[in-house]
Amino acid sequence: MPEAPPPVAPPVATRGFDPAAGSVALRISPVAGFQGLMRVQDALARCRGVREAGVEAYAQGEARLRLHFAEQIDGAQLAASLAEALGRGVRVTAESASERTVQLALE
């Protein structure tokens, strides 16, 4: 009787944004003024997996930043890391891997 082939492990599902695919647009609100914007940008730059965080726009309490990642990361991981860096709640309100966008809300 022939031996059965060894079981094949299912492929590992990747989640989040592949850093090799380019930058990710981040919208975050509410951001209180210029000082608040600088705090958010600085905190994002210190987040695990973030290589660079540049401000693109700011108006009426909403900031738009362009993120470059150093490793695979998703919106929930980014929110958790940012919450730790800021010392306040952060939650994901929208995320699209295909459009490479994340929207976060500061609590």
PDB file of all heavy atoms in Angstrom, residues 50-72:
ATOM      1  N   VAL A  50       6.260  51.872  11.149  1.00  0.00           N
ATOM      2  CA  VAL A  50       6.181  53.092  10.339  1.00  0.00           C
ATOM      3  C   VAL A  50       7.590  53.608  10.072  1.00  0.00           C
ATOM      4  O   VAL A  50       8.353  53.844  10.989  1.00  0.00           O
ATOM      5  CB  VAL A  50       5.337  54.183  11.032  1.00  0.00           C
ATOM      6  CG1 VAL A  50       5.365  55.484  10.228  1.00  0.00           C
ATOM      7  CG2 VAL A  50       3.909  53.705  11.232  1.00  0.00           C
ATOM      8  N   ARG A  51       7.923  53.753   8.811  1.00  0.00           N
ATOM      9  CA  ARG A  51       9.230  54.287   8.430  1.00  0.00           C
ATOM     10  C   ARG A  51       9.184  55.803   8.315  1.00  0.00           C
ATOM     11  O   ARG A  51      10.121  56.495   8.674  1.00  0.00           O
ATOM     12  CB  ARG A  51       9.671  53.697   7.088  1.00  0.00           C
ATOM     13  CG  ARG A  51      11.048  54.169   6.672  1.00  0.00           C
ATOM     14  CD  ARG A  51      11.600  53.548   5.407  1.00  0.00           C
ATOM     15  NE  ARG A  51      10.881  52.388   4.970  1.00  0.00           N
ATOM     16  CZ  ARG A  51      10.511  52.147   3.709  1.00  0.00           C
ATOM     17  NH1 ARG A  51      10.798  53.008   2.764  1.00  0.00           N
ATOM     18  NH2 ARG A  51       9.865  51.062   3.383  1.00  0.00           N
ATOM     19  N   GLU A  52       8.066  56.335   7.791  1.00  0.00           N
ATOM     20  CA  GLU A  52       7.955  57.777   7.579  1.00  0.00           C
ATOM     21  C   GLU A  52       6.488  58.187   7.622  1.00  0.00           C
ATOM     22  O   GLU A  52       5.619  57.455   7.161  1.00  0.00           O
ATOM     23  CB  GLU A  52       8.538  58.115   6.208  1.00  0.00           C
ATOM     24  CG  GLU A  52       8.534  59.566   5.856  1.00  0.00           C
ATOM     25  CD  GLU A  52       9.092  59.808   4.451  1.00  0.00           C
ATOM     26  OE1 GLU A  52       9.782  58.948   3.904  1.00  0.00           O
ATOM     27  OE2 GLU A  52       8.809  60.899   3.930  1.00  0.00           O
ATOM     28  N   ALA A  53       6.221  59.353   8.194  1.00  0.00           N
ATOM     29  CA  ALA A  53       4.868  59.910   8.254  1.00  0.00           C
ATOM     30  C   ALA A  53       4.940  61.376   7.865  1.00  0.00           C
ATOM     31  O   ALA A  53       5.515  62.181   8.588  1.00  0.00           O
ATOM     32  CB  ALA A  53       4.285  59.761   9.655  1.00  0.00           C
ATOM     33  N   GLY A  54       4.387  61.708   6.719  1.00  0.00           N
ATOM     34  CA  GLY A  54       4.417  63.084   6.243  1.00  0.00           C
ATOM     35  C   GLY A  54       3.020  63.674   6.170  1.00  0.00           C
ATOM     36  O   GLY A  54       2.079  63.010   5.725  1.00  0.00           O
ATOM     37  N   VAL A  55       2.877  64.924   6.586  1.00  0.00           N
ATOM     38  CA  VAL A  55       1.592  65.609   6.549  1.00  0.00           C
ATOM     39  C   VAL A  55       1.315  66.077   5.123  1.00  0.00           C
ATOM     40  O   VAL A  55       2.160  66.701   4.489  1.00  0.00           O
ATOM     41  CB  VAL A  55       1.582  66.821   7.514  1.00  0.00           C
ATOM     42  CG1 VAL A  55       0.285  67.604   7.390  1.00  0.00           C
ATOM     43  CG2 VAL A  55       1.812  66.362   8.945  1.00  0.00           C
ATOM     44  N   GLU A  56       0.103  65.780   4.639  1.00  0.00           N
ATOM     45  CA  GLU A  56      -0.324  66.257   3.324  1.00  0.00           C
ATOM     46  C   GLU A  56      -1.290  67.422   3.436  1.00  0.00           C
ATOM     47  O   GLU A  56      -1.244  68.343   2.627  1.00  0.00           O
ATOM     48  CB  GLU A  56      -0.995  65.128   2.530  1.00  0.00           C
ATOM     49  CG  GLU A  56      -0.035  64.072   2.051  1.00  0.00           C
ATOM     50  CD  GLU A  56      -0.697  63.096   1.093  1.00  0.00           C
ATOM     51  OE1 GLU A  56      -1.923  62.897   1.161  1.00  0.00           O
ATOM     52  OE2 GLU A  56       0.029  62.534   0.268  1.00  0.00           O
ATOM     53  N   ALA A  57      -2.198  67.356   4.425  1.00  0.00           N
ATOM     54  CA  ALA A  57      -3.204  68.412   4.560  1.00  0.00           C
ATOM     55  C   ALA A  57      -3.777  68.408   5.966  1.00  0.00           C
ATOM     56  O   ALA A  57      -3.752  67.390   6.660  1.00  0.00           O
ATOM     57  CB  ALA A  57      -4.330  68.196   3.544  1.00  0.00           C
ATOM     58  N   TYR A  58      -4.306  69.575   6.347  1.00  0.00           N
ATOM     59  CA  TYR A  58      -4.992  69.702   7.633  1.00  0.00           C
ATOM     60  C   TYR A  58      -6.068  70.769   7.476  1.00  0.00           C
ATOM     61  O   TYR A  58      -5.791  71.869   6.995  1.00  0.00           O
ATOM     62  CB  TYR A  58      -4.026  70.108   8.747  1.00  0.00           C
ATOM     63  CG  TYR A  58      -4.738  70.389  10.052  1.00  0.00           C
ATOM     64  CD1 TYR A  58      -5.167  69.348  10.862  1.00  0.00           C
ATOM     65  CD2 TYR A  58      -5.019  71.689  10.442  1.00  0.00           C
ATOM     66  CE1 TYR A  58      -5.848  69.594  12.051  1.00  0.00           C
ATOM     67  CE2 TYR A  58      -5.691  71.945  11.624  1.00  0.00           C
ATOM     68  CZ  TYR A  58      -6.112  70.898  12.418  1.00  0.00           C
ATOM     69  OH  TYR A  58      -6.786  71.138  13.577  1.00  0.00           O
ATOM     70  N   ALA A  59      -7.308  70.423   7.844  1.00  0.00           N
ATOM     71  CA  ALA A  59      -8.401  71.392   7.801  1.00  0.00           C
ATOM     72  C   ALA A  59      -9.505  70.953   8.735  1.00  0.00           C
ATOM     73  O   ALA A  59      -9.868  69.768   8.777  1.00  0.00           O
ATOM     74  CB  ALA A  59      -8.949  71.527   6.382  1.00  0.00           C
ATOM     75  N   GLN A  60     -10.031  71.884   9.497  1.00  0.00           N
ATOM     76  CA  GLN A  60     -11.195  71.680  10.357  1.00  0.00           C
ATOM     77  C   GLN A  60     -11.097  70.421  11.222  1.00  0.00           C
ATOM     78  O   GLN A  60     -12.022  69.638  11.314  1.00  0.00           O
ATOM     79  CB  GLN A  60     -12.469  71.660   9.512  1.00  0.00           C
ATOM     80  CG  GLN A  60     -12.684  72.972   8.773  1.00  0.00           C
ATOM     81  CD  GLN A  60     -13.906  72.957   7.909  1.00  0.00           C
ATOM     82  OE1 GLN A  60     -14.377  71.921   7.476  1.00  0.00           O
ATOM     83  NE2 GLN A  60     -14.424  74.144   7.646  1.00  0.00           N
ATOM     84  N   GLY A  61      -9.928  70.229  11.824  1.00  0.00           N
ATOM     85  CA  GLY A  61      -9.754  69.124  12.760  1.00  0.00           C
ATOM     86  C   GLY A  61      -9.445  67.776  12.155  1.00  0.00           C
ATOM     87  O   GLY A  61      -9.315  66.784  12.868  1.00  0.00           O
ATOM     88  N   GLU A  62      -9.311  67.697  10.829  1.00  0.00           N
ATOM     89  CA  GLU A  62      -8.953  66.430  10.186  1.00  0.00           C
ATOM     90  C   GLU A  62      -7.603  66.579   9.496  1.00  0.00           C
ATOM     91  O   GLU A  62      -7.373  67.543   8.768  1.00  0.00           O
ATOM     92  CB  GLU A  62      -9.995  65.993   9.154  1.00  0.00           C
ATOM     93  CG  GLU A  62      -9.613  64.649   8.521  1.00  0.00           C
ATOM     94  CD  GLU A  62     -10.624  64.161   7.512  1.00  0.00           C
ATOM     95  OE1 GLU A  62     -10.508  64.560   6.330  1.00  0.00           O
ATOM     96  OE2 GLU A  62     -11.515  63.400   7.902  1.00  0.00           O
ATOM     97  N   ALA A  63      -6.726  65.605   9.756  1.00  0.00           N
ATOM     98  CA  ALA A  63      -5.398  65.604   9.139  1.00  0.00           C
ATOM     99  C   ALA A  63      -5.321  64.481   8.124  1.00  0.00           C
ATOM    100  O   ALA A  63      -5.895  63.404   8.318  1.00  0.00           O
ATOM    101  CB  ALA A  63      -4.326  65.419  10.198  1.00  0.00           C
ATOM    102  N   ARG A  64      -4.618  64.743   7.048  1.00  0.00           N
ATOM    103  CA  ARG A  64      -4.322  63.700   6.059  1.00  0.00           C
ATOM    104  C   ARG A  64      -2.810  63.572   5.995  1.00  0.00           C
ATOM    105  O   ARG A  64      -2.100  64.559   5.786  1.00  0.00           O
ATOM    106  CB  ARG A  64      -4.898  64.069   4.693  1.00  0.00           C
ATOM    107  CG  ARG A  64      -4.807  62.898   3.716  1.00  0.00           C
ATOM    108  CD  ARG A  64      -5.492  63.194   2.402  1.00  0.00           C
ATOM    109  NE  ARG A  64      -4.738  64.195   1.665  1.00  0.00           N
ATOM    110  CZ  ARG A  64      -5.243  65.299   1.140  1.00  0.00           C
ATOM    111  NH1 ARG A  64      -6.510  65.591   1.273  1.00  0.00           N
ATOM    112  NH2 ARG A  64      -4.475  66.141   0.475  1.00  0.00           N
ATOM    113  N   LEU A  65      -2.342  62.352   6.226  1.00  0.00           N
ATOM    114  CA  LEU A  65      -0.908  62.071   6.204  1.00  0.00           C
ATOM    115  C   LEU A  65      -0.620  60.955   5.212  1.00  0.00           C
ATOM    116  O   LEU A  65      -1.494  60.146   4.889  1.00  0.00           O
ATOM    117  CB  LEU A  65      -0.415  61.653   7.594  1.00  0.00           C
ATOM    118  CG  LEU A  65      -0.514  62.727   8.674  1.00  0.00           C
ATOM    119  CD1 LEU A  65      -1.744  62.508   9.522  1.00  0.00           C
ATOM    120  CD2 LEU A  65       0.723  62.717   9.536  1.00  0.00           C
ATOM    121  N   ARG A  66       0.618  60.901   4.766  1.00  0.00           N
ATOM    122  CA  ARG A  66       1.086  59.841   3.878  1.00  0.00           C
ATOM    123  C   ARG A  66       2.081  59.023   4.675  1.00  0.00           C
ATOM    124  O   ARG A  66       3.065  59.542   5.187  1.00  0.00           O
ATOM    125  CB  ARG A  66       1.736  60.464   2.645  1.00  0.00           C
ATOM    126  CG  ARG A  66       2.223  59.521   1.599  1.00  0.00           C
ATOM    127  CD  ARG A  66       1.177  58.733   0.899  1.00  0.00           C
ATOM    128  NE  ARG A  66       0.098  59.508   0.308  1.00  0.00           N
ATOM    129  CZ  ARG A  66      -0.915  58.961  -0.359  1.00  0.00           C
ATOM    130  NH1 ARG A  66      -0.967  57.671  -0.537  1.00  0.00           N
ATOM    131  NH2 ARG A  66      -1.876  59.713  -0.834  1.00  0.00           N
ATOM    132  N   LEU A  67       1.802  57.715   4.802  1.00  0.00           N
ATOM    133  CA  LEU A  67       2.657  56.823   5.589  1.00  0.00           C
ATOM    134  C   LEU A  67       3.432  55.876   4.689  1.00  0.00           C
ATOM    135  O   LEU A  67       2.897  55.372   3.703  1.00  0.00           O
ATOM    136  CB  LEU A  67       1.811  55.990   6.560  1.00  0.00           C
ATOM    137  CG  LEU A  67       0.918  56.752   7.532  1.00  0.00           C
ATOM    138  CD1 LEU A  67       0.141  55.766   8.394  1.00  0.00           C
ATOM    139  CD2 LEU A  67       1.732  57.687   8.390  1.00  0.00           C
ATOM    140  N   HIS A  68       4.668  55.625   5.065  1.00  0.00           N
ATOM    141  CA  HIS A  68       5.491  54.598   4.433  1.00  0.00           C
ATOM    142  C   HIS A  68       5.828  53.602   5.537  1.00  0.00           C
ATOM    143  O   HIS A  68       6.309  54.002   6.600  1.00  0.00           O
ATOM    144  CB  HIS A  68       6.769  55.198   3.835  1.00  0.00           C
ATOM    145  CG  HIS A  68       6.489  56.132   2.710  1.00  0.00           C
ATOM    146  ND1 HIS A  68       6.401  55.721   1.409  1.00  0.00           N
ATOM    147  CD2 HIS A  68       6.235  57.464   2.704  1.00  0.00           C
ATOM    148  CE1 HIS A  68       6.129  56.761   0.642  1.00  0.00           C
ATOM    149  NE2 HIS A  68       6.018  57.836   1.410  1.00  0.00           N
ATOM    150  N   PHE A  69       5.553  52.341   5.270  1.00  0.00           N
ATOM    151  CA  PHE A  69       5.772  51.310   6.282  1.00  0.00           C
ATOM    152  C   PHE A  69       7.078  50.571   6.051  1.00  0.00           C
ATOM    153  O   PHE A  69       7.517  50.392   4.915  1.00  0.00           O
ATOM    154  CB  PHE A  69       4.622  50.299   6.288  1.00  0.00           C
ATOM    155  CG  PHE A  69       3.308  50.900   6.719  1.00  0.00           C
ATOM    156  CD1 PHE A  69       2.180  50.790   5.928  1.00  0.00           C
ATOM    157  CD2 PHE A  69       3.185  51.573   7.917  1.00  0.00           C
ATOM    158  CE1 PHE A  69       0.973  51.326   6.322  1.00  0.00           C
ATOM    159  CE2 PHE A  69       1.987  52.122   8.327  1.00  0.00           C
ATOM    160  CZ  PHE A  69       0.869  51.996   7.526  1.00  0.00           C
ATOM    161  N   ALA A  70       7.671  50.106   7.149  1.00  0.00           N
ATOM    162  CA  ALA A  70       8.893  49.312   7.098  1.00  0.00           C
ATOM    163  C   ALA A  70       8.579  47.820   7.120  1.00  0.00           C
ATOM    164  O   ALA A  70       9.441  47.013   6.823  1.00  0.00           O
ATOM    165  CB  ALA A  70       9.796  49.662   8.282  1.00  0.00           C
ATOM    166  N   GLU A  71       7.347  47.486   7.507  1.00  0.00           N
ATOM    167  CA  GLU A  71       6.926  46.078   7.588  1.00  0.00           C
ATOM    168  C   GLU A  71       5.430  45.989   7.344  1.00  0.00           C
ATOM    169  O   GLU A  71       4.737  47.006   7.354  1.00  0.00           O
ATOM    170  CB  GLU A  71       7.274  45.492   8.953  1.00  0.00           C
ATOM    171  CG  GLU A  71       6.600  46.193  10.109  1.00  0.00           C
ATOM    172  CD  GLU A  71       7.073  45.700  11.457  1.00  0.00           C
ATOM    173  OE1 GLU A  71       8.259  45.878  11.774  1.00  0.00           O
ATOM    174  OE2 GLU A  71       6.246  45.133  12.183  1.00  0.00           O
ATOM    175  N   GLN A  72       4.946  44.779   7.117  1.00  0.00           N
ATOM    176  CA  GLN A  72       3.518  44.544   6.909  1.00  0.00           C
ATOM    177  C   GLN A  72       2.753  44.969   8.164  1.00  0.00           C
ATOM    178  O   GLN A  72       3.103  44.573   9.274  1.00  0.00           O
ATOM    179  CB  GLN A  72       3.290  43.049   6.645  1.00  0.00           C
ATOM    180  CG  GLN A  72       1.899  42.709   6.210  1.00  0.00           C
ATOM    181  CD  GLN A  72       1.795  42.560   4.713  1.00  0.00           C
ATOM    182  OE1 GLN A  72       2.792  42.557   4.009  1.00  0.00           O
ATOM    183  NE2 GLN A  72       0.592  42.434   4.217  1.00  0.00           N
TER     184      GLN A  72
END
